[in-house]
Structures are given as C-alpha cells and as structure tokens.
Amino acid sequence: QVQLVESGGGLVQPGGSLRLSCAASGSIFSINDMNWYRQAPGKQRELVAGITSGGNTNYVDSVKGRSTISRDNAKNTVYLQMDSLKPEDTAVYYCNAVIGFDRWGIPNNYWGQGTQVTVSS
C-alpha cells in the first residue's frame, strides 16, 4: 500500500509564499510522475504542476513564473514552491503520484488527502 502525506498549506496574504510538501511511503520501487492538483470551491480539480522522474516539469499557465515544482527521489517527496500568491490561488491542493502499473498495464494513481491554501488579507 502507498500513502501520500501533504504538508505546508495555510493562510497567507496576497503576494506571500508557501511551500507544499508531499511524501510518499509504502511499497514503492520507483515513482513515475508526481503532480500537484488543486480544487477551488465550485470548480473542477485542475493540474497545477507536474514533474517526471527525469525532472521535466510542466505548469498551468496561471502559475507559470510564480511556482516551482521539484522532487527528491531519495526521499520520495515532491515540493511546490508558490510565490506571489493571489486570492485566486485559494484551493485545496492535492498531491498525486503515478507508481507502477496494474495487471492491465494501467498506471496506478495515488492521492494525498489534500491541504488547504488560503490567500487572503
């Protein structure tokens, strides 16, 4: 079994910064992609940033230039550094990890419990 535990959320003023962390534990041989998603009230969950096992990254346009995703493969941990935060960044942020494949060749997706980020003055 695999568990993802997020930390680092909280209340921050506009223009401030937060660093989210997500540590994976359990029966892990290697982790493929690691991603951060977010879901604001009344909106669909969206991909914020992703990073492959080789370190290639991608970001949603709304956070480009303000956020940096990174990972420590030795610690099975992914980070999301968010700067110049805006009220519209307010959401529950979820960590996602793609680890191995099931018997049908479909990637196994694991999710964290979510951490609240609130940007408000």
Side-chain angles (χ1 to χ4, degrees), residues 30-34 50-57 69-71 73:
S30 66
I31 304 176
N32 299 325
D33 297 348
M34 301 188 82
I51 184 167
T52 67
S53 57
N56 293 318
T57 60
I69 188 171
S70 61
R71 64 190 283 174
N73 291 329

Side-chain angles (χ1 to χ4, degrees), residues 33-87:
D33 297 348
M34 301 188 82
N35 306 293
W36 285 98
Y37 286 76
R38 67 184 178 189
Q39 188 166 19
K43 294 187 177 181
Q44 290 188 332
R45 188 174 296 191
E46 67 170 350
L47 175 64
V48 178
I51 184 167
T52 67
S53 57
N56 293 318
T57 60
N58 63 281
Y59 300 89
V60 67
D61 285 346
S62 59
V63 306
K64 281 182 181 177
R66 302 189 294 119
S67 297
T68 303
I69 188 171
S70 61
R71 64 190 283 174
D72 184 333
N73 291 329
K75 296 181 179 180
N76 290 331
T77 299
V78 62
Y79 307 95
L80 183 66
Q81 175 68 40
M82 300 188 293
D83 301 314
S84 302
L85 283 162
K86 304 175 181 180

Side-chain angles (χ1 to χ4, degrees), residues 11-12 20 22 26 29 32 35-36 39 49 51-52 67 75-76 78 101 104-105 107-108 110 113 115-118:
L11 173 65
V12 63
L20 306 183
C22 172
F29 177 68
N32 299 325
N35 306 293
W36 285 98
Q39 188 166 19
I51 184 167
T52 67
S67 297
K75 296 181 179 180
N76 290 331
V78 62
F101 301 88
W104 297 282
N108 294 315
Y110 297 92
Q113 78 287 355
T115 185
Q116 177 70 47
V117 171
T118 302

